[in-house]
Amino acid sequence: MASSLGAQAHAHGYGQAQAHGYGDARSARFFRNAGDLSPSSCRFRAAMATASASILASPAIPRSKPAASQISRLQTQLRKKEISAVEIVTEYLDRLREKEPDVKSFLHISSSALDEAAEIDGRLARGDDPGPLAGIPIAIKDNLCTQGMPSTGGSRILDGYRPPYDATAVKRLKESGAVLIGKTNLDEFGMGSSTESSAYQVTSNPWDLSRVPGGSSGGSAAAVAAGQCACALGSDTGGSIRQPASFCGVVGLKPTYGRVSRFGLMAYASSLDVVGCLGTSVDDVSLLLNAIAGHDPADATSSSKVVPNYLKALVPAKELPGNPLAGMKFGIIKETIGEGVEPAVAQVVKNAVVHLEKLGAVVQEVSLPTFSLGLPAYYVLAASEASSNLSRYDGIRYGPRVVADELNAMYGASRGQGFGAEVKRRILMGTYALSAGYYDAFYKRAQQVRTLIQQDFKKALEDGHILLSPVAPSPAFKIGEKVLDPLSMYLGDLMTVNVNMAGLPALSLPCGLIEDEGSKLPVGLQLIGNAFEEEELLRVGHIFEQTVPTW
Amino acid sequence: VKPPNVGELCEKARLSLTPDEAAEIGPQISRVVDWFGQLQEVELDNVDPAIRVGHEVESQRGLRRDEHLDFTEKDSMVASVGEKEGVFIKVPKILN
């Protein structure tokens, strides 16, 4: 039975997504020399030729009623035997294949998804409980190691690499019965805010195919928005879950640093990286967090704090009292709603504030005076840590190797040909900032700014505030718009990087739409809480999404 | 502070750039490093540098037990090695 379903899967073409040969170094280097995506590259032209069409999924978005949990609905139907795991996975795989030529969210599609679903059905038939995510199709960002499945980090330097182990977060999803449907596209090694610096393909925003899905977890966000999976894992170092969630109109959670194990996440900046979740509702994101959170002996920075049941905090809309947020204090960060933010975005966020107030909340303006310094400080720290973390990609241990007579030449050529332009920039800037004699000028000062930012947050959150801000200064921009100027790309991260430097949890919640050149584009509201207080964020987020006017 | 010298940095980072790449990347890096200059304009005396996030992490609580753990997927690790000669793993020449 299992093998015929496996054959069925292959017949449907669910084998590995097209692999690019590393052998054609000339054409590969042409793409990289063209800054990954310059006007002269074929890939850029192909992306721009796509009409500004929108291919949103149903049932995901847009919606005519408040967001509902896909996971809960599917689990109920599964346990009542109204549907089988194979039918669930088939439905998502069909939609995945239908949308993929337009969205291109996936770098690899699992060839064993239907087999795994059949196994889940078998266990259910025998009276076993496969777990709270049984049969749920989940997409995994490609910088998370998945045993036996390609894991490229969006980079040529790991072309063909199949890890011998699962990342802890991945292992825990499997133990909960989830079916890993595939690996999603990302900016190379997580470095980027648009997914355009993937070495493999450009992912399009399902709301408008001529626009970016955001980054670096753009593939995961687009896949969730297009209904190609029920939910997804991503990673967030400077906003890489929250910003694509905002651009794609889905819910994105960046947990507290240490809440989820980083074991098996390809390290970009070890003091900033976290693994997190994306879904179409707060319920689903909470269920994912339940599965992946918790101490891991394999990650020395993971926390032993008890993991609560995040779902318990969520009250169904009809059981909410009249003023569900009565007595709650919120602080909207003054430095995020003024200059540098598009007026339309600021307006949507202010409307969200009015809605919170109608629910009984007290919202004040708070100031974080060192806010804008966070951006250069973040980029110094992130680039420095990246220059160290990426030194392991030497052409010896994994991935393609460029043969040379002498060791340094071999390193140089393997890395020179394996890394894309943005990664090279960050490695070189990080090498500069860490060079002898420059530590005081850059790295140390960035760490001192980090202290100030932590202190500012601590003070603002002391009064029991949840902090509010837009997630990004703009909605999704056009593919190709920012690639020629790295600095303009960095400036878009203003709202998100400080949260990583303080290690705090934050939720990105769809809160409205903006119209731009005939396209409707989502805007996300960012909620920031105290360390390990994801319950509060999810509770408030859930109340907001269940009561917000539909769109 | 001396501005970034792409050639020197490439040597430190073991990264080879083509002349075209170097010509393009040089000004891009310089522009970002100039922008980093904002950090010099802030008053930071008496501020401790933060190495990590503000809250305590597990590793600060002490050491783990000194006990042997076995990794079970050794076969697949060895299988993914590029070049082998019998039971030996072949690596490029290291010593000059």
Side-chain angles (χ1 to χ4, degrees):
Chain A
M1 170 87 171
S3 57
S4 75
L5 282 165
Q8 213 177 60
H10 285 295
H12 283 214
Y14 298 139
Q16 189 173 339
Q18 185 187 2
H20 295 252
Y22 192 76
D24 62 340
R26 264 187 83 82
S27 59
R29 191 188 298 170
F30 169 80
F31 284 126
R32 275 192 301 283
N33 265 351
D36 295 321
L37 203 63
S38 84
S40 59
S41 90
C42 301
R43 197 169 48 181
F44 176 91
R45 284 201 298 273
M48 289 307 283
T50 311
S52 316
S54 156
I55 54 132
L56 297 168
S58 66
I61 1 183
R63 51 178 192 250
S64 54
K65 38 190 200 299
S69 168
Q70 291 184 59
I71 298 177
S72 301
R73 172 177 56 85
L74 292 170
Q75 286 297 295
T76 305
Q77 291 173 323
L78 190 66
R79 309 298 168 145
K80 282 191 183 164
K81 303 201 206 312
E82 290 167 16
I83 197 174
S84 70
V86 167
E87 284 168 321
I88 294 174
V89 172
T90 302
E91 181 195 322
Y92 279 91
L93 278 172
D94 284 347
R95 197 156 48 231
L96 192 165
R97 193 171 65 149
E98 184 203 328
K99 311 278 183 178
E100 191 57 10
D102 287 320
V103 189
K104 303 195 194 55
S105 339
F106 284 85
L107 293 177
H108 176 82
I109 301 165
S110 170
S111 53
S112 59
L114 287 172
D115 288 346
E116 291 166 31
E119 221 184 287
I120 300 279
D121 284 330
R123 288 174 65 186
L124 285 166
R126 288 194 297 273
D128 283 345
D129 184 4
L133 298 177
I136 304 295
I138 305 190
I140 310 291
K141 186 177 182 183
D142 208 26
N143 62 354
L144 283 156
C145 288
T146 44
Q147 186 173 16
M149 255 204 260
S151 304
T152 65
S155 180
R156 293 284 179 198
I157 213 162
L158 286 179
D159 197 359
Y161 176 63
R162 287 178 190 251
Y165 69 103
D166 280 325
T168 297
V170 169
K171 184 167 81 122
R172 289 178 180 180
L173 286 183
K174 282 180 171 174
E175 287 167 353
S176 298
V179 172
L180 305 185
I181 206 170
K183 308 299 294 297
T184 55
N185 199 21
L186 66 159
D187 284 299
E188 190 176 355
F189 288 118
M191 300 187 205
S193 312
S194 65
T195 307
E196 290 169 296
S197 65
S198 164
Y200 294 96
Q201 65 205 40
V202 177
T203 297
S204 285
N205 190 320
W207 288 80
D208 177 338
L209 298 175
S210 70
R211 292 179 191 253
V212 301
S216 58
S217 309
S220 284
V224 171
Q228 296 176 303
C229 55
C231 45
L233 286 191
S235 71
D236 189 314
T237 304
S240 290
I241 286 176
R242 293 162 283 156
Q243 185 251 39
S246 172
F247 279 12
C248 291
V250 299
V251 179
L253 175 70
K254 176 213 167 290
T256 310
Y257 183 88
R259 181 76 289 183
V260 180
S261 169
R262 289 182 299 113
F263 182 72
L265 171 70
M266 294 174 194
Y268 156 19
S270 311
S271 77
L272 301 163
D273 291 342
V274 299
V275 174
C277 354
L278 298 103
T280 49
S281 67
V282 172
D283 294 72
D284 286 348
V285 158
S286 305
L287 282 162
L288 276 192
L289 188 62
N290 271 357
I292 62 176
H295 182 248
D296 180 14
D299 176 0
T301 61
S302 74
S303 169
S304 319
K305 271 191 157 38
V306 165
V307 180
N309 179 350
Y310 293 107
L311 203 62
K312 270 223 165 81
L314 310 183
V315 177
K318 46 183 175 339
E319 295 170 30
L320 286 174
N323 266 4
L325 296 180
M328 279 215 66
K329 288 193 281 184
F330 291 80
I332 181 144
I333 302 172
K334 183 172 118 191
E335 289 80 8
T336 65
I337 46 169
E339 199 190 303
V341 183
E342 279 184 25
V345 170
Q347 189 54 55
V348 170
V349 168
K350 285 176 186 162
N351 295 345
V353 166
V354 167
H355 180 70
L356 288 169
E357 287 172 327
K358 287 205 181 112
L359 296 170
V362 172
V363 184
Q364 293 165 321
E365 229 178 55
V366 303
S367 173
L368 302 180
T370 46
F371 199 80
S372 63
L373 275 180
L375 206 48
Y378 164 82
Y379 273 99
V380 169
L381 294 175
S384 300
E385 293 188 24
S387 72
S388 176
N389 275 323
L390 268 64
S391 58
R392 73 194 66 189
Y393 302 109
D394 53 12
I396 305 226
R397 283 168 264 210
Y398 4 67
R401 175 191 303 166
V402 177
V403 175
D405 279 342
E406 187 266 321
L407 191 63
N408 286 339
M410 193 203 72
Y411 289 153
S414 299
R415 289 157 65 78
Q417 287 183 35
F419 288 140
E422 183 60 33
V423 165
K424 285 177 186 161
R425 278 192 285 269
R426 298 208 193 181
I427 289 175
L428 293 175
M429 290 192 292
T431 304
Y432 176 70
L434 292 176
S435 303
Y438 296 84
Y439 169 79
D440 282 349
F442 296 107
Y443 192 70
K444 182 175 171 196
R445 295 189 79 89
Q447 288 184 315
Q448 288 171 304
V449 167
R450 185 174 192 168
T451 298
L452 294 179
I453 286 170
Q454 290 173 359
Q455 288 171 352
D456 275 0
F457 268 125
K458 190 154 184 272
K459 225 179 302 170
L461 288 163
E462 234 156 32
D463 279 342
H465 281 116
I466 284 182
L467 298 176
L468 301 171
S469 78
V471 173
S474 75
F477 44 88
K478 296 263 189 194
I479 293 171
E481 191 179 312
K482 296 199 184 185
V483 278
L484 297 179
D485 182 11
L487 193 53
S488 75
M489 192 77 86
Y490 300 167
L491 295 177
D493 295 338
L494 175 66
M495 322 286 179
T496 47
V497 295
N498 290 357
V499 174
N500 297 80
M501 293 215 281
L504 300 173
L507 188 65
S508 173
L509 215 49
C511 72
L513 294 173
I514 286 179
E515 196 151 324
D516 188 8
E517 293 181 20
S519 289
K520 287 203 168 53
L521 303 171
V523 169
L525 175 68
Q526 175 170 236
L527 292 83
I528 305 167
N530 253 319
F532 299 104
E533 289 187 5
E534 285 85 353
E535 277 173 292
E536 264 305 88
L537 288 181
L538 294 167
R539 187 182 74 87
V540 170
H542 186 254
I543 290 170
F544 182 91
E545 90 177 353
Q546 295 301 306
T547 56
V548 75
T550 54
W551 46 276
Chain B
V1 189
K2 261 173 47 194
N5 177 316
V6 174
E8 281 173 14
L9 294 174
C10 281
E11 191 162 322
K12 285 181 189 161
R14 300 289 188 259
L15 199 57
S16 297
L17 297 180
T18 65
D20 285 344
E21 281 178 318
E24 196 178 336
I25 252 187
Q28 288 173 334
I29 296 180
S30 295
R31 190 157 127 78
V32 175
V33 166
D34 280 347
W35 174 69
F36 288 163
Q38 290 172 61
L39 297 173
Q40 262 89 57
E41 289 152 28
V42 189
E43 161 70 54
L44 290 172
D45 297 341
N46 306 318
V47 180
D48 286 331
I51 300 171
R52 50 165 71 93
V53 301
H55 53 271
E56 191 186 274
V57 294
E58 189 63 14
S59 55
Q60 295 168 272
R61 303 237 193 107
L63 305 171
R64 69 174 173 87
R65 282 209 310 270
D66 183 11
E67 62 188 14
H68 169 87
L69 297 168
D70 215 17
F71 181 69
T72 50
E73 300 296 326
K74 294 174 198 165
D75 287 343
S76 68
M77 282 186 85
V78 173
S80 69
V81 160
E83 268 186 274
K84 287 199 274 281
E85 228 173 62
V87 299
F88 297 105
I89 293 174
K90 197 152 187 247
V91 295
K93 184 175 74 170
I94 295 172
L95 303 172
N96 262 326

